[in-house]
Amino acid sequence: MDFKLTEEHIMIRDAARDFANSELLPGVIERDDKQEFPTEQIKKMGELGFLGMMASPEYGGGGMDTVSYVLAMEEISKIDASASVVMSVNNSLVCWGLDTFGNEEQKEKYLTKLTTGESIGAFCLSEPEAGSDATSQKTTAIDHGDHYILNGTKNWITNGSTADFYLVIAQTDREKKHKGINAFIVEKTWEGFEIGPKENKLGIRGSDTHSLIFNDVKVPKENRIGEDGFGFKFAMKTLAGGRIGIAAQALGIAGGAYELALKYSKERKAFGTEICNHQAIAFKLADMHVAIEAARLLVMKAAVDKDNKENYDLSGAMAKLYASQVAMEVSVEAVQVHGGNGFVKDYHVERMMRDAKITQIYEGTSEIQKIVISRSIING
Ligand code: CAA
């Protein structure tokens, strides 16, 4: 495995770092507090090419590799995980899904707008009764010849109200179980499409998460992605890549919390010396550093597997499982290193601790990653 970064990788990583520090850091505490979507910042991220990094250049994408995407995700997530989840969903679920499985017309019509940030996308799989058990879709799309009629409710949808285009997974033939599921591109303005109330969340509060309700929404047949019955595979294949993005987000949250803890420990004095000189703190820093570096190896391995066109179901699930655990543990320890200051908003680490939790839940809980990993090691 060669994880040596190219000059281009370093340039992309540094550009993301600069952007995060200059554009996302100011106001990140307030946006979290007020649950305010980073509208202007996301617009700029689109202009700079951060929203369609891996998509084909002929549709406005950056044509970059997964390693570049992971590096940028990590840097953005160090500062603002709410902005990075918007970036992650748009890049790895929506743009990648459409670029890889959409047809020419769909890419021309939708992907060209999504890669540039002119429009934002959402990925709609979860339902009130189909979260981890994704084959149990209750949302239906009934075939009416040249169109489908979509009915049902989706839950916890990132970019729920800010998106313009939604990739919606629905059951078209219940008898066929997961082979009767399809994926559709749905436009926000279509009749019968309703956006439910915004969720009041523990973390990533700057991102907007909603339920979506579909009441007899007419979806033209040309908006189905792939062959009839491809929807579940579409969701699984797309999520496998999405998990690498979320692993990078977790790595970024861990890295951001660690950097703040290290800095604080070199400034804060107690018992006559900077607290980093006390082993109680120094050993915490050592553990955090090792865990982050181990998580980085797993995240890079998954990204390199994807770039080398090797199977990344296992490496992506391992990266997400471990990096999200590290994000949680490191951010909790970063609060501890900060003592009382860690418990107040001004020092950022309490937000990172809250943001870390979702990385163990969305795009497949840690338990789902263990299902993917254990099946892979048992069945080969
Ligand atoms: N690639 C291709 N095909 C795959 C696949 C993959 N990675 N994983 C499964 N499949 C296929 C299987 O081959 C099988 O097809 P065949 O019958 O043709 O062989 C089919 O899908 C069904 O697979 P399983 O029998 O393995 O299905 P299962 O019901 O046992 O569950 C699961 C599989 C892994 C648990 C899956 O349901 C899952 O991943 N659940 C979690 C869902 C999830 O991640 N939700 C996140 C929501 S999106 C989100 O969070 C976005 C956001 O807003 C941030």
Side-chain angles (χ1 to χ4, degrees):
M1 265 183 297
D2 181 11
F3 294 149
K4 197 163 159 29
L5 299 183
T6 62
E7 268 177 40
E8 200 188 338
H9 287 144
I10 293 168
M11 221 173 66
I12 292 162
R13 184 195 64 194
D14 292 351
R17 186 177 293 169
D18 290 347
F19 177 82
N21 280 304
S22 62
E23 303 283 343
L24 292 170
L25 185 57
V28 66
I29 294 172
E30 293 72 20
R31 289 194 299 276
D32 169 76
D33 202 29
K34 296 182 189 146
Q35 303 191 74
E36 200 176 285
F37 188 82
T39 309
E40 281 310 306
Q41 293 81 350
I42 293 295
K43 190 165 170 277
K44 282 187 191 163
M45 283 169 76
E47 287 161 4
L48 291 169
F50 286 124
L51 295 185
M53 293 182 72
M54 296 174 291
S56 309
E58 57 265 44
Y59 303 108
M64 293 177 212
D65 60 11
T66 316
V67 169
S68 303
Y69 167 59
V70 153
L71 292 169
M73 269 298 293
E74 183 185 350
E75 293 304 323
I76 302 288
S77 307
K78 276 184 185 172
I79 303 294
D80 187 348
S82 293
S84 76
V85 70
V86 180
M87 174 177 165
S88 175
V89 167
N90 205 71
N91 271 285
S92 23
L93 299 184
V94 181
C95 287
W96 188 85
L98 275 177
D99 201 16
T100 311
F101 301 112
N103 61 33
E104 204 56 43
E105 292 72 34
Q106 292 167 345
K107 292 189 206 185
E108 275 299 334
K109 189 168 177 191
Y110 298 109
L111 185 58
T112 48
K113 293 187 175 141
L114 290 158
T115 50
T116 56
E118 184 186 334
S119 302
I120 299 289
F123 183 84
C124 315
L125 173 67
S126 307
E127 298 188 354
E129 291 171 65
S132 290
D133 182 8
T135 49
S136 299
Q137 295 287 304
K138 294 270 190 300
T139 298
T140 55
I142 303 303
D143 193 335
H144 283 258
D146 64 346
H147 66 274
Y148 290 88
I149 294 292
L150 188 64
N151 275 293
T153 300
K154 294 289 174 182
N155 263 25
W156 312 298
I157 304 303
T158 303
N159 301 339
S161 73
T162 46
D164 305 281
F165 308 133
Y166 299 76
L167 304 188
V168 181
I169 318 295
Q171 189 81 52
T172 53
D173 187 341
R174 205 166 293 289
E175 301 266 289
K176 293 187 183 160
K177 301 192 174 151
H178 68 267
K179 291 191 169 122
I181 289 175
N182 276 301
F184 304 93
I185 309 162
V186 174
E187 298 185 20
K188 183 187 225 162
T189 52
W190 287 351
E191 215 180 313
F193 179 17
E194 212 182 291
I195 296 165
K198 183 168 167 165
E199 300 290 354
N200 185 359
K201 308 190 296 282
L202 171 75
I204 55 162
R205 287 167 60 81
S207 70
D208 74 320
T209 310
H210 290 256
S211 300
L212 305 175
I213 302 113
F214 304 96
N215 277 316
D216 289 334
V217 178
K218 189 174 169 185
V219 182
K221 209 155 230 178
E222 62 261 27
N223 276 37
R224 189 186 73 210
I225 301 171
E227 293 299 308
D228 186 24
F230 179 63
F232 192 72
K233 285 232 158 131
F234 169 81
M236 289 300 112
K237 282 174 183 276
T238 305
L239 274 168
R243 287 167 186 162
I244 304 176
I246 297 304
Q249 180 187 50
L251 182 63
I253 296 171
Y258 162 75
E259 283 171 18
L260 288 174
L262 178 63
K263 181 169 178 286
Y264 184 83
S265 73
K266 289 177 166 181
E267 291 164 0
R268 173 80 175 179
K269 287 189 177 158
F271 304 103
T273 183
E274 288 79 13
I275 60 171
C276 64
N277 296 323
H278 297 298
Q279 274 192 346
I281 301 298
F283 283 9
K284 278 190 197 304
L285 294 169
D287 286 341
M288 289 157 112
H289 184 71
V290 173
I292 289 168
E293 288 309 303
R296 186 187 312 288
L297 291 176
L298 284 175
V299 174
M300 290 299 274
K301 163 84 167 77
V304 169
D305 279 352
K306 184 160 176 283
D307 287 337
N308 288 343
K309 309 219 175 319
E310 282 166 26
N311 189 305
Y312 50 89
D313 289 353
L314 173 63
S315 54
M318 290 195 331
K320 183 182 181 289
L321 175 68
Y322 187 67
S324 61
Q325 182 187 321
V326 168
M328 202 65 251
E329 287 168 4
V330 166
S331 59
V332 168
E333 286 296 67
V335 170
Q336 193 69 20
V337 169
H338 280 75
N341 282 328
F343 208 61
V344 297
K345 291 185 186 275
D346 296 357
Y347 286 80
H348 297 280
V349 284
E350 66 79 35
R351 184 186 74 256
M352 293 172 171
M353 186 181 85
R354 288 186 283 106
D355 288 348
K357 188 60 205 169
I358 192 63
T359 65
Q360 295 186 302
I361 298 173
Y362 59 21
E363 300 200 19
T365 59
S366 295
E367 291 72 22
I368 289 292
Q369 307 315 314
K370 289 182 192 180
I371 291 180
V372 174
I373 295 163
S374 58
R375 280 183 183 177
S376 173
I377 56 181
I378 292 164
N379 303 326

